[in-house]
Amino acid sequence: MNRKPYQCQRCPRAFARLEHLQRHNRSHTKEKPYACAQCPKAFTRKDLLARHDRLSHQGTSSVNQKPHSSSPISSANLASNGLNTLASAANHASNHSLSSRPRGQFTNALSAHQSSILSLSNSATPSVGAPTTPLPVSDFGYPLSGITSSSYDENDFTSFLDSVSLPSHPFSPAFQPLPLFPSLSFIPVTDYQQTPNIGPLTETAADSMSTPSSSVLPRHDAQLPSLQPEGFQTPAKARQPTGFIPVTAQCRDKIFLLLANYANVVPNPSLPSRHALSRCLTGYMMGFHDHYPLIHKPTLDVDSMTLPLFLSMAALGARYSREPDTSMQLFQIAKPVTLEHVRRVFQSGTAPEVDATNDIDTLESIQSLLFLISVSSWFINNPPYHEALSFQSLTAALLRKGGFNRLPECDGSWTSWIHREHVKRTKLILFCFFNIHTIVFDLPPVILTEEISLELPCTEREWQATGPEMWQAARSQSSGEPKIQDALSALFTPNSGLERFSTLGGYVLIHALLQDIWLTTKASRLALFRYNRLGSSIASTPELMAVEQALERWCQCWERNQESSIDPLSPHGPLSFTSAALLRLAYIRLNADCGSARQLQTWDPVQIATSLKDNLSVQRGDRLTRAALHCAHALSTPVKLGIGFVAHSQAALWSNQHALCSLECAVLLAKWLEAVTVANPDPVLTEQETRLRDFVLEMVMEASPSLSLKFSEPDGCREWLLEKNTRLSAAVTRLWARLFTADYIWEMVSLIGRSLDSYADLLEQGA
């Protein structure tokens, strides 16, 4: 029984350990025991002091604090510090965190017990300002440090699970490729505070920027469509873009008139009502737009859209409105209209020459194709996914028309800046979307990173500004964005000086790094094929180690971006949340070529599962253990919240990329468990591997009540799970599969759930 004898006298919370209560009490008393050694400031938490030290004193001050000193944790050794948590509950609670950022982000999910025991390597790169003293090398070729002996028991897991952050608490992104889901609340809450991007964060500011109360209400305006008659003219003021995008009767009539010009490809068009079209456009804005913010929402004018853009946007939005029949109806009109429009304007020998850099028609045609690709990428039929792949070459040709890296001139005005940023975002988001196809279907990249010399996108604060004054204020606080090649070069260069990037900029860069991993892995497989040694495990190479260091620096820049958040309902959008999931995917693919073995393009869950079981292998080592720890932590929050609750609450918050990342998290963790639960492993398990295995054991027992009923004693359950080396792997995979049992918008997500179930079936047959 998990007793919590230490009761707070000021609130209902209770704690299992006295030091936890003491730390909690400081939130009431405002005691500030952690003083800076170089200035008069003091803080209630060590992570705030560490962040202040790094930002104000470049990490050079000696931290003056009562307990053990704490330094910022870099992403390369996040897993190390995570394993420390599993070692012993007898040590002091050490409030380790990546850094303290706006709204108190990055309080480490493992902060309760991180002062001792094992560290996986700091080898990927040292933390900012950390010494570069070489560490002893382990048997696996990665340096280890801080090894101490300590026993593991059930209380460690209980204490750890108590420290797993729930949605109302901030936590580190690097442990969570899956989203957190707020508990049901019927009390309206205020929106996030919009805090300027200003210098080092003071403790007062950090306290005021905590994550808001849980709410299932959307951030956007919840206004419902008007049910006035079709001919009712909505006042101009109501057409200003908010959460709801109205379509007037006049706009719908205009669409019909424009469709008459395409009677050769759509002879008898049938459009939904204007109310349905309003729902569709609103669905786009509240669904797809947040994940791919290429439309400038404050100046969006539905009446001025080209016909292909209007139809394709509505077809995509209908999916998010959960109106699949309406989506197919619109898709079947939008597809021929868009292709015919492209043929007439860009491929006809009689078409007038236009400046593709400044031409709005070119931009909206490219966006129309992107939306059609977005609709058809995730279904085996209705519409078939191969149509999305067939659109790629046409879209890439239009992107390169007039020069991929050319942008419209900007005269310094808000209007010209919007157009320039609009074009840039469209091109970079298409690069990312094509890269998603590479991840999903294991296809060669359509656009290589080396082709791109554009600057990274601006901050979301600038992009979301509703007027010139607000834009100018946001722009004055921005230091500007580097070119993508300069940013990538900085990520691969120690002490490069790259401090931060925008939210969308970080998303573009993580896709660029994933493409680099894909190309490096394929080149490595080709070399192995020449020597008849083809396999799916990835040996450590200087190139991959360089990428791992680049991922470490990417995470450091992610932390410094004050718009970054793990909350999918952040006012700056869910992109930084998605980027953290892609970071997990990158670490996984440094260890296993999942793309080659996965075969999602077959759309057959049994075939996918069989291929993953037979064609994917992993090689034990500290790098693999780090990746496995990230995967285990990805599952820890859904386990604490309840697998069923998370599964049926996630549809509105996840992008498809989260499901893809979760699939590979599940498989890599299962493969690692198979490797470490064999009888008499050679070499013997390291202490890190033992602790992580035991942590996963406790997590499975926590999430599987049937096992508790089957065994009267926990030790009996553990022995049974470890009796065969596939049994624990099957149980963990089954937990992941349960996350994908809800009614999803996209068939691909349901396919991932069925494939994981099939994979668990295969493992259980072996058990």
Side-chain angles (χ1 to χ4, degrees):
M1 181 176 179
N2 183 22
R3 296 179 62 250
K4 296 184 177 181
Y6 300 103
Q7 174 70 46
C8 177
Q9 300 301 312
R10 297 177 175 86
C11 70
R13 295 194 63 183
F15 300 86
R17 299 174 57 184
L18 178 60
E19 55 264 35
H20 295 172
L21 174 61
Q22 292 170 341
R23 186 179 63 186
H24 168 75
N25 279 336
R26 288 200 295 270
S27 67
H28 295 299
T29 63
K30 303 301 181 183
E31 178 189 356
K32 299 181 178 181
Y34 305 107
C36 178
Q38 297 195 35
C39 71
K41 291 188 176 181
F43 303 87
T44 59
R45 303 200 317 260
K46 285 181 290 184
D47 60 297
L48 294 179
L49 173 61
R51 185 182 190 279
H52 164 77
D53 177 37
R54 188 176 73 253
L55 295 179
S56 299
H57 307 298
Q58 290 75 45
T60 58
S61 77
S62 57
V63 179
N64 179 17
Q65 52 190 19
K66 292 181 180 178
H68 302 294
S69 65
S70 169
S71 60
I73 302 176
S74 60
S75 69
N77 60 22
L78 279 171
S80 315
N81 295 286
L83 279 176
N84 294 352
T85 308
L86 309 179
S88 173
N91 295 353
H92 263 322
S94 171
N95 198 11
H96 242 2
S97 70
L98 282 166
S99 65
S100 176
R101 306 166 340 99
R103 298 183 303 282
Q105 294 291 335
F106 283 101
T107 301
N108 196 323
L110 307 177
S111 61
H113 320 293
Q114 287 194 324
S115 57
S116 68
I117 336 287
L118 318 169
S119 279
L120 275 177
S121 87
N122 293 333
S123 63
T125 56
S127 300
V128 176
T132 56
T133 306
L135 297 173
V137 178
S138 71
D139 293 338
F140 294 131
Y142 282 84
L144 299 172
S145 63
I147 304 294
T148 64
S149 59
S150 178
S151 61
Y152 182 91
D153 58 44
E154 183 182 0
N155 289 333
D156 293 305
F157 176 78
T158 301
S159 300
F160 167 78
L161 205 59
D162 283 341
S163 73
V164 171
S165 300
L166 291 177
S168 60
H169 296 80
F171 60 98
S172 163
F175 291 114
Q176 304 293 346
L178 293 177
L180 296 181
F181 299 98
S183 57
L184 292 175
S185 172
F186 300 99
I187 303 174
V189 295
T190 58
D191 206 350
Y192 288 78
Q193 293 181 352
Q194 298 287 340
T195 304
N197 186 358
I198 51 171
L201 185 68
T202 65
E203 184 183 16
T204 303
D207 292 341
S208 68
M209 290 186 287
S210 59
T211 306
S213 302
S214 302
S215 172
V216 294
L217 297 177
R219 286 190 293 107
H220 305 292
D221 191 343
Q223 177 186 1
L224 295 175
S226 169
L227 296 181
Q228 295 289 345
E230 288 287 333
F232 182 80
Q233 174 63 48
T234 307
K237 184 177 180 181
R239 289 203 304 268
Q240 297 304 313
T242 58
F244 172 62
I245 308 292
V247 176
T248 64
Q250 289 79 1
C251 179
R252 184 174 181 274
D253 292 342
K254 175 188 172 185
I255 297 299
F256 259 122
L257 288 175
L258 293 174
L259 278 171
N261 297 326
Y262 293 88
N264 61 320
V265 292
V266 187
N268 297 301
S270 174
L271 283 179
S273 71
R274 72 178 183 87
H275 299 304
L277 291 172
S278 296
R279 290 197 305 273
C280 294
L281 293 182
T282 301
Y284 166 86
M285 196 57 62
M286 299 183 71
F288 186 86
H289 170 77
D290 282 349
H291 295 285
Y292 302 96
L294 58 90
I295 298 294
H296 192 248
K297 186 176 175 181
T299 57
L300 176 64
D301 183 4
V302 174
D303 291 327
S304 66
M305 284 183 185
T306 59
L307 179 63
L309 182 61
F310 180 94
L311 293 172
S312 58
M313 183 184 289
L316 177 55
R319 287 288 174 181
Y320 287 95
S321 299
R322 292 191 173 268
E323 301 185 44
D325 293 338
T326 302
S327 179
M328 276 304 301
Q329 176 190 359
L330 289 167
F331 181 86
Q332 289 168 353
I333 300 173
K335 174 190 168 185
V337 166
T338 302
L339 295 178
E340 176 66 10
H341 181 76
V342 170
R343 186 192 68 80
R344 292 177 184 179
V345 177
F346 304 108
Q347 297 178 339
S348 171
T350 60
E353 286 295 324
V354 295
D355 182 357
T357 302
N358 292 286
D359 182 39
I360 297 294
D361 204 334
T362 304
L363 174 66
E364 295 199 355
S365 296
I366 291 171
Q367 291 172 344
S368 303
L369 288 167
L370 169 61
F371 297 157
L372 294 177
I373 291 171
S374 302
V375 174
S376 57
S377 292
W378 315 112
F379 300 92
I380 186 172
N381 292 305
N382 300 318
Y385 78 98
H386 60 75
E387 289 194 353
L389 303 182
S390 69
F391 292 146
Q392 281 188 345
S393 58
L394 176 59
T395 309
L398 289 181
L399 276 172
R400 292 185 171 95
K401 184 178 177 63
F404 182 87
N405 293 302
R406 289 183 58 194
L407 295 175
E409 294 296 327
C410 180
D411 60 11
S413 68
W414 187 46
T415 304
S416 66
W417 175 86
I418 289 171
H419 183 46
R420 180 183 176 89
E421 186 72 18
H422 200 178
V423 173
K424 178 171 63 176
R425 282 177 171 244
T426 298
K427 292 180 176 183
L428 291 176
I429 284 176
L430 262 167
F431 160 75
C432 295
F433 210 94
F434 289 162
N435 201 58
I436 293 172
H437 281 172
T438 297
I439 295 170
V440 176
F441 302 113
D442 203 40
L443 298 173
V446 177
I447 299 172
L448 295 174
T449 305
E450 64 185 27
E451 297 182 62
I452 307 174
S453 60
L454 297 170
E455 293 177 351
L456 291 174
C458 69
T459 64
E460 293 309 298
R461 196 183 305 277
E462 293 173 76
W463 187 240
Q464 294 170 1
T466 56
E469 295 80 11
M470 187 179 294
W471 167 71
Q472 201 62 258
R475 195 157 178 78
S476 66
Q477 296 170 358
S478 172
S479 58
E481 300 300 329
K483 290 184 179 294
I484 186 172
Q485 296 300 334
D486 294 339
L488 283 171
S489 176
L491 291 178
F492 283 91
T493 305
N495 304 317
S496 62
L498 180 65
E499 288 296 323
R500 59 177 59 85
F501 39 62
S502 65
T503 301
L504 183 54
Y507 178 76
V508 172
L509 289 174
I510 195 65
H511 268 294
L513 292 172
L514 279 165
Q515 186 184 104
D516 191 15
I517 293 172
W518 189 91
L519 292 170
T520 302
T521 301
K522 293 303 176 187
S524 176
R525 284 177 62 85
L526 178 60
L528 290 172
F529 180 77
R530 291 172 180 166
Y531 297 99
N532 296 318
R533 290 185 293 153
L534 190 60
S536 58
S537 63
I538 299 177
S540 179
T541 64
E543 293 79 11
L544 291 178
M545 293 180 68
V547 173
E548 191 170 20
Q549 293 172 351
L551 291 173
E552 158 71 6
R553 297 184 187 104
W554 180 94
C555 194
Q556 292 171 359
C557 292
W558 191 102
E559 296 166 25
R560 298 187 190 107
N561 174 21
Q562 295 191 21
E563 290 184 352
S564 293
S565 172
I566 287 305
D567 189 345
L569 295 179
S570 163
H572 304 298
L575 266 183
S576 59
F577 165 66
T578 302
S579 299
L582 293 172
L583 177 69
R584 294 302 120 241
L585 184 67
Y587 277 116
I588 290 168
R589 292 205 164 193
L590 286 172
N591 291 276
D593 185 10
C594 295
S596 299
R598 196 179 50 199
Q599 296 189 14
L600 281 176
Q601 65 273 17
T602 65
W603 293 86
D604 182 346
V606 175
Q607 188 171 340
I608 293 168
T610 303
S611 179
L612 285 169
K613 186 175 185 302
D614 296 341
N615 300 322
L616 184 67
S617 61
V618 295
Q619 184 176 349
R620 279 177 57 201
D622 296 329
R623 190 177 68 190
L624 177 64
T625 306
R626 272 200 302 274
L629 178 61
H630 292 315
C631 297
H633 281 299
L635 193 56
S636 64
T637 298
V639 165
K640 183 170 184 179
L641 289 174
I643 297 288
F645 170 73
V646 171
H648 289 83
S649 306
Q650 63 187 343
L653 303 178
W654 285 26
S655 74
N656 292 340
Q657 294 162 87
H658 285 94
L660 295 168
C661 297
S662 298
L663 170 63
E664 299 196 11
C665 276
V667 173
L668 184 96
L669 184 58
K671 291 285 183 179
W672 179 85
L673 287 169
E674 283 188 75
V676 300
T677 55
V678 295
N680 303 316
D682 185 22
V684 297
L685 298 185
T686 65
E687 196 165 0
Q688 296 94 324
E689 290 173 320
T690 301
R691 297 199 183 285
L692 180 54
R693 181 204 63 188
D694 291 344
F695 164 65
V696 175
L697 269 170
E698 299 294 341
M699 188 162 56
V700 168
M701 294 166 60
E702 170 73 22
S704 305
S706 59
L707 288 177
S708 301
L709 296 175
K710 184 176 180 180
F711 298 94
S712 58
E713 294 293 334
D715 288 343
C717 183
R718 293 189 189 95
E719 291 174 4
W720 180 81
L721 285 169
L722 294 175
E723 188 177 349
K724 295 187 178 179
N725 79 309
T726 57
R727 190 168 283 168
L728 182 57
S729 297
V732 169
T733 305
R734 194 72 75 188
L735 292 182
W736 283 101
R738 284 168 52 192
L739 285 171
F740 302 100
T741 56
D743 178 25
Y744 290 93
I745 297 172
W746 310 107
E747 185 179 356
M748 176 68 74
V749 179
S750 299
L751 173 68
I752 287 172
R754 298 197 307 273
S755 300
L756 286 173
D757 262 327
S758 296
Y759 189 74
D761 291 340
L762 294 175
L763 292 173
E764 286 172 351
Q765 292 170 13

